[in-house]
Amino acid sequence: MESDVNATLSELERKLKELERELETVGRGGEADTEPAQAGWDAPAEPPAGAFTASWHGTSGGASATPPPPPPAFNGAPPIPVTPPPTPWPPAVGGATHAPPPPPAHSTPPQPGLHAQLDELLAFRDRLVATTDDLVAELSRVLTELGVDAPPPHDPADTVLTGPVIVEAGPFPDLSTLQQFEQALMRVPGVAGVHVRTLDAGRATTDVHLASPVALGAALRATAPVAFAVTHAGDGRLVLALAG
């Protein structure tokens, strides 16, 4: 009995010491764990002569290292060549790129129906012109058979003027003819005043004041020293072209 108790106590004391050693190992930061690991690790052997040795950038005193060989192909496949994009033409000037020209505009072809309508309108115009000519010819024939003459065209000299009138006449061959023309204006009934304003290149501009309405062109033909034709009469203006 006593021997069993002593054996149990000895066993308990041994376990307590083991626990104490483990606690001390934990308190020293795990030195008990690293030592067994280091005990089983073998240092690497020295590299053979001529083997590749890595060097740090910035070290002085050493020769330039030989660049490493290109990396091997992935999974044994050959490298894939990369083709650069083509250079645009024409090349950009000053960094500006040229936009591609716009596509040509496609004009809408004329529709066949429009040509048919245009031809129909042209044919209708021709028929209308022909019908009008036939009507005019028939009317002229009827008037001729009835003995009715067409009215004479209106003579601008018969236009009645009143108040201040500007008379433009010419060309006058000399000053004597101009003076005779001025006196002929003064002799027209209803004329209150005559004043020659300008004379340029044989054409005279004369201010005439009428005291009463009068057909100045027709009345002047009876007193003028030279024949003339009335080219315009109205709006306070009378234009005469003297016979050469």
Side-chain angles (χ1 to χ4, degrees):
M1 178 65 75
E2 184 178 357
S3 60
D4 295 337
V5 172
N6 292 331
T8 303
L9 292 175
S10 299
E11 184 68 21
L12 291 174
E13 184 179 1
R14 186 182 61 79
K15 290 183 177 182
L16 287 174
K17 289 181 179 181
E18 290 180 358
L19 291 174
E20 184 179 1
R21 285 195 302 268
E22 291 180 2
L23 291 174
E24 290 177 359
T25 303
V26 173
R28 288 196 301 268
E31 294 180 0
D33 295 338
T34 57
E35 289 177 359
Q38 293 178 356
W41 177 78
D42 296 332
E46 294 293 332
F52 173 75
T53 304
S55 61
W56 295 97
H57 294 284
T59 58
S60 58
S64 60
T66 304
F74 181 74
N75 290 338
I80 301 175
V82 179
T83 304
T87 305
W89 183 262
V93 179
T97 57
H98 298 276
H106 298 283
S107 58
T108 304
Q111 300 179 1
L114 295 179
H115 290 289
Q117 294 178 4
L118 181 60
D119 295 340
E120 184 178 355
L121 289 175
L122 293 176
F124 177 76
R125 184 199 62 179
D126 296 339
R127 292 195 301 270
L128 182 60
V129 171
T131 303
T132 303
D133 294 342
D134 294 342
L135 290 176
V136 171
E138 183 67 18
L139 180 60
S140 300
R141 185 186 64 79
V142 171
L143 291 178
T144 302
E145 291 179 354
L146 294 177
V148 178
D149 296 333
H154 174 71
D155 188 359
D158 297 333
T159 303
V160 178
L161 304 175
T162 183
V165 178
I166 298 176
V167 178
E168 299 176 4
F172 290 96
D174 48 40
L175 291 178
S176 176
T177 305
L178 176 59
Q179 291 177 355
Q180 296 177 10
F181 181 80
E182 182 181 4
Q183 294 174 1
L185 280 172
M186 290 294 300
R187 292 194 299 268
V188 173
V191 173
V194 176
H195 172 68
V196 177
R197 184 195 304 175
T198 59
L199 178 63
D200 184 14
R203 295 193 62 83
T205 301
T206 306
D207 295 330
V208 178
H209 181 69
L210 300 179
S212 59
V214 59
L216 185 59
L220 185 59
R221 282 175 176 166
T223 59
V226 292
F228 61 86
V230 180
T231 59
H232 176 78
D235 299 330
R237 186 165 167 261
L238 180 65
V239 181
L240 308 177
L242 304 183

